[in-house]
């Protein structure tokens, strides 16, 4: 938790049981039309209850005093006039109800200022914290005051389904610095957060339930009541997988979950975000494409693995992003949400072309920022000739650090290139052609290239953050021709001399590599030393299969459906 200057405010509130409203005070009931609720709420005859963390209410209050009257102890986030956010605790006063939480007093104490006169209006936002729900009976204000609808209320609504990342756990301001809250502000939408700590999709037992069941509950508390879908979001964003078992059953579970959601929300766009570090990318992508193939074209798989580079600049640990990481995630997601929130909804935008590269080529440093070291770069003399400068500790072990120039590949395909030269300081430096499932540091991949230590080599990693295996090596040095072929779950590497470039010789045949349908194909260089760069010059580059915009393709095949926004 957090609050001013990163210090948690634990504020005890004045608890007064009032048989009736006192002189000079006015009671605004929870069902007053000026109070606007976002999230899952349930009304009874005496109160309104929030169901999930992040549910919030907004209203405008004219007057210098605001008191929340609550039916049970809770912890709430409070913001006045779009200023600092405070965590306030309403504690049990020996059974006396309602509990009165004076918002204005604590706001003034924090800011060392007065809230103003009874004629001034103030924008009030109250949100449920992750620990306990809100049970609001009424809002008490000065008798001369009144309430009106909030000045900023959007007809657009986005629902976020997920785990720690969707709640902003690990950030300085929790929910308010989470990517759902940030991106909703960017696109001008209200939002709902259906998330909890370490959430997963799959049920484990009949008592240990995942989001496939809990999503349809009105409350996180396990209340038996089902959600009645009384609000209809224009977009749902799902970010799950990190806490689930690595199994192909995940695909079936996700398909069934999305079908059940679709049966209640026929026109809602659904974006399935990959986990930032690539957990269950293949299974998630397969689920979306299965639904697409069955006719639901309003479900999208979005690869986020290239959005936020792993390391201390953006991550708290492997599970949690910091403020900067959430901000990057929100800014990358915003164009996609804007497209689907438009009226009518627009197609999701394609990745922005790289002005320094031809056609569909993109480039980035892959790996933990500290392990990458010096930033890489690329230049080209023609669409078929590139020079790469790459740093990084290696491509190998269970994670990588290197420079990558790439396009998307859907299904089967081939990349060919001549490595004309490779300048390196370390014997383990590498330059070659690569097929890679995603853009995070631990991705499954096949790399076919050249190294001072190994000569021409083929290596492969079969699972996310799994060990890398050296499949085959042979004595050779640049210039040399390389070909990497994908045929289903089989990857074939072939080499040829520059003197006889069409006489391909088999180097390795790697079988049973289950990659996602849409992956990445391109050129890779690592220096094996983050303090220096290695330089690889590639010529005669050709791609075939379902690649990019078809510029390099000689066959009519399906285009990749990856949504990346690099």
């Amino acid at each position: 938790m957090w609050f001013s200057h990163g210090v948690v405010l634990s504020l005890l509130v004045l608890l007064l049981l009032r048989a009736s409203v006192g002189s000079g005070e006015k009671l605004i009931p929870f069902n007053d039309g000026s109070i606007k609720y976002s999230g899952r709420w349930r009304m009874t005859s005496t109160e309104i209850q929030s169901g999930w963390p992040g549910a919030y209410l907004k209203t405008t209050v004219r007057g210098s005093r605001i008191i929340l009257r609550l039916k049970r102890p809770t912890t709430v986030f409070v913001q006045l006039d779009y200023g600092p956010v405070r965590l306030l605790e309403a504690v049990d006063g020996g059974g006396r109800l309602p509990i009165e939480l004076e918002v204005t007093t604590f706001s003034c104490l924090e800011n060392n200022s007065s809230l103003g006169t009874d004629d001034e209006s103030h924008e009030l936002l109250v949100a449920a914290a992750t620990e306990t729900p809100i049970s609001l009976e009424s809002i008490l204000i000065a008798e001369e005051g009144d309430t009106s609808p909030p000045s900023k209320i959007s007809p657009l609504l986005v629902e976020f389904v997920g785990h720690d990342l969707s709640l902003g756990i690990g950030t300085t301001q929790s929910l308010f610095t989470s990517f759902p809250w940030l991106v909703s502000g960017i696109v001008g939408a209200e939002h709902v957060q259906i998330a909890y700590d370490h959430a997963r999709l799959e049920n484990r037992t009949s008592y240990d339930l995942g989001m496939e069941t809990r999503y349809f509950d009105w409350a996180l508390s396990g209340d038996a009541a089902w959600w009645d879908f009384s609000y209809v979001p224009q977009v749902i964003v799902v970010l799950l997988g990190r806490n689930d078992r690595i199994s192909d059953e995940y695909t079936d579970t996700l398909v069934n979950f999305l079908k059940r959601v679709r049966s209640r929300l026929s026109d809602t766009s659904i974006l399935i975000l990959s986990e930032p570090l690539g957990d269950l990318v293949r299974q998630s992508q397969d689920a979306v494409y299965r639904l697409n193939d069955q006719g639901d074209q309003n479900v999208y798989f979005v690869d986020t693995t290239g959005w936020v580079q792993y390391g201390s600049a953006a991550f708290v640990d492997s599970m949690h992003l910091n403020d900067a990481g959430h901000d990057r995630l929100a800014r990358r997601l915003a164009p996609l949400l804007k497209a689907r929130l438009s009226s009518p909804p627009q197609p999701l935008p394609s990745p922005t072309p790289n002005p320094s590269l031809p056609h569909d080529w993109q480039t980035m440093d892959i790996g933990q920022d500290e392990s990458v070291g010096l930033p890489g770069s690329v230049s080209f003399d023609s669409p078929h000739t590139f020079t790469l400068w790459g740093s990084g500790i290696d491509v190998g072990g269970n994670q990588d650090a290197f420079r990558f120039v790439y396009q998307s590949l859907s299904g089967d395909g081939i990349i060919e290139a001549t490595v004309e030269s490779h300048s390196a300081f370390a014997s383990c430096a590498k330059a070659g052609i690569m097929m890679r499932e995603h853009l995070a540091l631990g991705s499954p991949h096949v790399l076919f290239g050249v190294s001072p230590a190994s000569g021409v080599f083929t290596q492969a990693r079969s699972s996310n953050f799994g060990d890398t295996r050296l499949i085959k090596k042979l004595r050779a040095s640049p210039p040399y021709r390389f070909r990497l072929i994908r045929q289903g779950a089989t990857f074939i590497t072939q080499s040829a001399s520059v003197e006889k470039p069409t006489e391909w010789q088999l180097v390795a045949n790697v079988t049973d590599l289950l990659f996602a349908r849409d992956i990445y194909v391109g050129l890779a260089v690592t220096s094996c030393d983050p303090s220096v760069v290695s330089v690889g010059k590639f010529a005669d580059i050709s791609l075939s299969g379902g690649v990019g915009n078809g510029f390099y393709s000689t066959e009519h095949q399906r285009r990749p459906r990856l949504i990346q926004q690099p």
Side-chain angles (χ1 to χ4, degrees), residues 293-313:
D293 294 341
Q294 292 173 3
D296 189 345
Q297 303 302 316
N298 206 12
V299 182
Y300 305 87
F301 175 76
V302 180
D303 183 12
T304 72
T305 58
W307 290 8
V308 184
Q309 185 178 25
Y310 185 64
S312 59

Side-chain angles (χ1 to χ4, degrees), residues 119 153 161 205 224 246 307 320 337 375 380-381 415 424 431 483 491:
D119 293 328
I153 190 76
V161 181
T205 68
I246 301 174
W307 290 8
H320 302 98
L337 290 184
F380 71 96
D381 299 323
I415 178 172
R483 173 192 274 175
F491 292 77

Side-chain angles (χ1 to χ4, degrees), residues 454-456 473-477 480:
S454 300
V456 170
K473 64 179 181 178
L474 54 90
R475 289 185 177 275
S477 59
Y480 219 71

Side-chain angles (χ1 to χ4, degrees), residues 102-379:
E102 186 155 2
V103 171
T104 48
T105 297
F106 293 112
S107 175
C108 294
L109 285 174
E110 280 299 307
N111 293 296
N112 194 28
S113 63
S114 170
L115 194 61
T117 69
D118 289 341
D119 293 328
E120 294 181 358
S121 293
H122 304 281
E123 300 294 323
L124 172 68
L125 185 150
V126 180
T130 56
E131 295 85 358
T132 51
I134 297 172
S135 297
L136 180 69
E137 176 204 75
S138 58
I139 300 175
L140 196 64
I141 64 174
E143 185 175 22
E144 298 79 8
D146 55 35
T147 58
S148 57
S151 61
K152 297 180 180 179
I153 190 76
S154 174
L156 304 175
L157 181 64
V158 181
E159 183 179 77
F160 296 87
V161 181
H163 46 56
D164 304 46
L165 288 182
S166 297
L167 294 174
I169 294 174
T171 65
T172 59
Q173 297 189 19
S174 187
L175 296 168
F176 289 82
T177 38
S178 67
F179 81 89
W181 208 284
L182 296 174
V183 74
S184 298
I186 294 172
V187 302
E190 306 301 328
H191 67 275
V192 179
Q193 288 161 287
I194 307 300
Y196 58 94
D197 188 12
H198 287 86
R200 62 182 184 278
L201 175 67
E202 296 176 300
N203 297 332
R204 290 183 179 169
T205 68
S206 59
Y207 300 98
D208 188 5
L209 302 176
M211 201 64 81
E212 64 170 308
T213 296
R214 300 185 76 175
Y215 171 84
F216 299 95
D217 293 336
W218 88 271
L220 176 61
S221 61
D223 191 294
W226 293 103
W227 173 240
D228 61 4
F229 289 85
S230 56
Y231 64 75
V232 177
Q234 284 84 5
V235 182
I236 296 176
V237 177
V238 180
L239 176 54
L240 289 168
R242 180 65 193 268
N243 301 307
D244 284 271
R245 297 170 297 170
I246 301 174
S247 166
D248 288 346
E249 293 178 3
Y250 184 88
T251 298
D252 297 331
T253 303
L254 183 55
V255 166
N256 293 331
F257 169 73
L258 294 175
K259 284 184 175 180
R260 191 175 173 193
V261 173
R262 177 63 75 218
S263 70
R264 300 300 302 266
L265 299 169
S266 58
D267 297 323
T268 296
S269 298
I270 303 175
L271 307 185
I272 306 300
L273 305 188
S274 76
E275 291 280 5
L277 296 185
D279 306 270
L280 294 171
V281 160
R282 176 175 62 84
Q283 292 86 344
S284 299
Q285 189 188 117
D286 286 351
V288 171
Y289 291 176
R290 186 188 301 178
L291 291 171
N292 294 161
D293 294 341
Q294 292 173 3
D296 189 345
Q297 303 302 316
N298 206 12
V299 182
Y300 305 87
F301 175 76
V302 180
D303 183 12
T304 72
T305 58
W307 290 8
V308 184
Q309 185 178 25
Y310 185 64
S312 59
F315 281 77
V316 177
D317 52 43
S318 62
M319 185 66 198
H320 302 98
L321 296 171
N322 60 23
D323 289 22
H326 276 271
D327 182 70
R328 293 178 196 175
L329 192 60
R331 292 183 184 280
R332 295 293 182 89
L333 181 58
L336 309 184
L337 290 184
K338 285 180 180 178
R340 301 312 295 169
L341 291 170
S342 298
S343 183
Q346 299 299 306
L348 295 183
S350 299
T352 303
N354 188 317
S356 301
L357 294 173
H359 305 290
D360 282 354
W361 289 104
Q362 299 284 347
T363 186
M364 65 179 292
D365 287 318
I366 288 179
Q368 184 177 4
D369 48 13
E370 295 89 348
S371 298
V372 169
L374 298 176
S377 60
V378 59
S379 66

